[in-house]
Amino acid sequence: MLGTALGSHSTGQTTVTSLAVANPGSLIQSVDWLAIAPPLIAALAALAVLVTDLFLPARHKRWLGRLTAAGLALALVSLLPLTGGSPRATFCAQNVTGATDTPSISGAAAGGCSYVADHFALVFQLLALGGALIAALLSAHTVEREKLPGGEYWFLLLSSATGAALLPASRDLATLVIALEVASLPAFALVALRRDGRGAEAALKFFLSSVTATAVMLLGVGFVYAASGSLHLGAVATGLEHAPAQLKPLAEAGAVLTLVGFAFKVAAVPFHFWVPDTYTGAPLPVAGYLSVVGKAAGLAGLALVTTIAFRPYAHTWGLVLAVLAAVTMTVGNAGALRQRFDTRYSAVRLLAWSSVGQAGYLLVPLAAAGYAPTTADPLGATAAYALIYGVVNLGAFGVVAAVGRRSEAGVDDFRGLFARRRWTALALAFFLLCLAGLPPGVIGLFGKVVVFRAAVDAGLGWLAVVMAVNVVVALYYYLRWTALLFAPAPDAAPAEGAAERSAAAAERRLPVSLTATLGLTASVAVVLSVAPQLVLQVVGGSLF
């Protein structure tokens, strides 16, 4: 299971198949290129797009999007050779004799290794690269319609995806911080690419709040290093456990401050205030990307530092995350309830507040891991729900991009969509029901049950009750939006001429790229709803 893969708390020992170090006596390491292939391929694709953009004529710029999608698809394929066998580790610390500090590791902690391709890393790399690929496919039409600078857009998207893929495999605090910033910095520029005033404002809010969170996190990392004497996650846990009594307050303060940066990426309250304005000002595919891939990166970092590095303080951060989860889901759903459907931007803002509420559900299994350190279920539940949420939320943003074309669309603009675009309306209805956890979106219900069970098994009954209440509250705005799709269409305009009717029909036709992407995303969600056990096979069972 996933907890076993993470597991400094695992009872068994897992031997790494490749530590990728040089011969004894040498200070030069050999690199396990297969282990680092997923983020490396994404980075090379980014460089290829950047160089190709310099020489490609303007009429052929659309090929940059296809190159981006191909690079992300190849990065996803590179995960397959890593799924069998034991975890692979590289960039491992050496002692004076040239041997690694830990020739055998426990779980994914990897002792002195900075990069570990274990099953935890593979699951979140699948989510990060898969989410980036869907966002890239959704972006093809957006870049052309909104006249965004193609070369810069695709380069930034690939760069951010590289950081998001690197972060789950990072096993020291320095690499975690670098990976988090590589994922975040290009995202600021992606938000600002819309040159309508709102993009710059949204990017500025995103940037300032992120920089503040990063500064606080770096201060915390410094405190943790001073108290533990190491940056490697496994060694940090050992150092904190045996830290002198006078350093305990420093270590505890450092642990809390370190969690701030990852809580910001997850959009946990009170670090959520940037979400609605940023999603509104960003291109819609970028908003979807931030809601899934950005959240996955923060969630992976949060899981790593808590379950490995800060394991000695499990009950402390377990309680903090439990309170954070309860407050986050409550504030997110309350913000969605307050959203008026007849205002501009209300569709994106409703999805933004919904993503804040969903972040609360994602934090529940992490909190449960602090109270149930010997079970693998809590962390598996986090990964399962993240995969489910990623598919359906990107699908919902894709439909909004297809129908609204711009983020100005309000929820009322979707009234009577079934009469105009039957399959698009059915797809959005299915995605919303999945987010609500109602049939036929069985996969959404399955995800919530898995998370709910993790809280109950860990003895967090009060958190399970708060979650159940919030799930019921969220039904109101999900079902209200779904009902609008099948409501009578607004009164038709006066009789139009042939030219006007032809132009309206052309406007209603979806681009091939959007149609194919929505069809692919909906198909995956339907398959998962028919066979939800497929998710368990990814986060547990055969792969773990």
Side-chain angles (χ1 to χ4, degrees):
M1 293 296 289
L2 183 60
T4 305
L6 265 176
S8 58
H9 57 269
S10 174
T11 58
Q13 295 290 321
T14 302
T15 302
V16 178
T17 57
S18 175
L19 287 173
V21 293
N23 294 326
S26 173
L27 295 179
I28 301 175
Q29 292 192 20
S30 60
V31 177
D32 187 348
W33 297 104
L34 182 61
I36 66 172
L40 180 62
I41 291 174
L44 292 176
L47 292 176
V49 166
L50 186 64
V51 173
T52 304
D53 182 50
L54 297 175
F55 304 100
L56 204 63
R59 64 181 182 276
H60 295 314
K61 293 293 186 182
R62 66 181 59 183
W63 282 98
L64 296 175
R66 298 170 185 174
L67 179 60
T68 299
L72 290 170
L74 185 59
L76 280 171
V77 171
S78 70
L79 294 174
L80 294 177
L82 301 173
T83 56
S86 301
R88 304 174 70 95
T90 189
F91 303 115
C92 298
Q94 295 174 290
N95 56 30
V96 293
T97 64
T100 59
D101 289 340
T102 52
S104 176
I105 64 168
S106 175
C113 296
S114 295
Y115 186 100
V116 178
D118 59 5
H119 298 296
F120 172 84
L122 297 184
V123 168
F124 278 91
Q125 285 177 340
L126 170 66
L127 178 57
L129 295 172
L133 177 59
I134 295 176
L137 296 174
L138 292 174
S139 299
H141 183 66
T142 301
V143 170
E144 183 178 350
R145 185 186 69 245
E146 298 190 14
K147 296 181 172 55
L148 302 177
E152 291 86 342
Y153 184 95
W154 300 117
F155 170 74
L156 292 169
L157 182 63
L158 283 167
S159 299
S160 180
T162 299
L166 173 63
L167 195 146
S170 304
R171 292 299 184 274
D172 69 68
L173 292 174
T175 308
L176 277 172
V177 172
I178 292 172
L180 187 65
E181 290 309 296
V182 171
S184 301
L185 291 176
F188 304 148
L190 279 172
V191 173
L193 285 181
R194 283 183 61 188
R195 300 169 182 172
D196 59 356
R198 297 188 66 90
E201 179 185 352
L204 183 61
K205 291 180 180 178
F206 187 20
F207 173 76
L208 292 177
S209 53
S210 179
V211 166
T212 303
T214 301
V216 173
M217 181 175 62
L218 287 173
L219 179 63
V221 169
F223 287 173
V224 170
Y225 176 71
S228 65
S230 178
L231 290 175
H232 289 95
L233 301 184
V236 166
T238 303
L240 294 181
E241 192 171 2
H242 300 93
Q246 62 268 28
L247 292 181
K248 290 286 186 180
L250 183 69
E252 293 172 354
V256 172
L257 294 177
T258 302
L259 298 181
V260 169
F262 300 109
F264 170 85
K265 292 299 294 182
V266 175
V269 175
F271 312 105
H272 70 291
F273 48 83
W274 58 276
V275 172
D277 290 340
T278 298
Y279 287 13
T280 299
L284 283 173
V286 174
Y289 173 85
L290 292 175
S291 72
V292 172
V293 179
K295 196 176 264 75
L299 192 66
L302 203 58
L304 287 171
V305 296
T306 52
T307 58
I308 298 179
F310 301 150
R311 172 56 54 188
Y313 304 143
H315 285 285
T316 301
W317 57 254
L319 177 60
V320 171
L321 290 181
V323 174
L324 207 62
V327 174
T328 299
M329 65 178 74
T330 302
V331 171
N333 287 322
L337 287 176
R338 294 180 63 251
Q339 185 63 53
R340 293 179 54 185
F341 283 17
D342 58 349
T343 58
R344 295 171 63 198
Y345 307 102
S346 60
V348 176
R349 293 185 71 88
L350 186 62
L351 287 176
W353 284 112
S354 166
S355 73
V356 174
Q358 298 287 342
Y361 305 145
L362 287 166
L363 290 174
V364 170
L366 283 184
Y371 288 88
T374 60
T375 178
D377 290 337
L379 295 175
T382 294
Y385 196 83
L387 289 172
I388 295 166
Y389 166 77
V391 172
V392 298
N393 204 60
L394 274 172
F397 270 99
V399 174
V400 173
V403 176
R405 300 299 176 94
R406 286 179 175 272
S407 58
E408 289 92 338
V411 176
D412 277 347
D413 295 335
F414 292 79
R415 182 184 298 274
L417 181 64
F418 182 76
R420 305 191 304 272
R421 298 175 180 171
R422 177 170 302 178
W423 294 108
T424 305
L426 289 175
L428 180 57
F430 183 70
F431 293 138
L432 292 174
L433 290 176
C434 284
L435 289 172
L438 291 177
V442 176
I443 191 62
L445 175 62
F446 170 79
K448 286 182 170 58
V449 169
V450 169
V451 171
F452 187 86
R453 187 182 67 180
V456 173
D457 290 346
L460 293 173
W462 66 270
L463 183 57
V465 171
V466 173
M467 178 183 172
V469 171
N470 274 277
V471 169
V472 173
V473 170
L475 293 179
Y476 172 76
Y477 57 85
Y478 286 130
L479 290 178
R480 185 180 171 193
W481 191 351
T482 304
L484 279 178
L485 302 175
F486 303 95
D491 294 337
E496 300 172 331
E500 288 80 0
R501 287 196 300 271
S502 177
E507 177 66 18
R508 286 195 296 267
R509 279 197 299 269
L510 293 182
V512 176
S513 60
L514 275 178
T515 303
T517 307
L518 291 178
L520 173 65
T521 309
S523 298
V524 172
V526 169
V527 169
L528 293 179
S529 288
V530 174
Q533 65 270 22
L534 292 175
V535 178
L536 286 182
Q537 291 181 2
V538 173
V539 301
S542 61
L543 287 185
F544 290 89

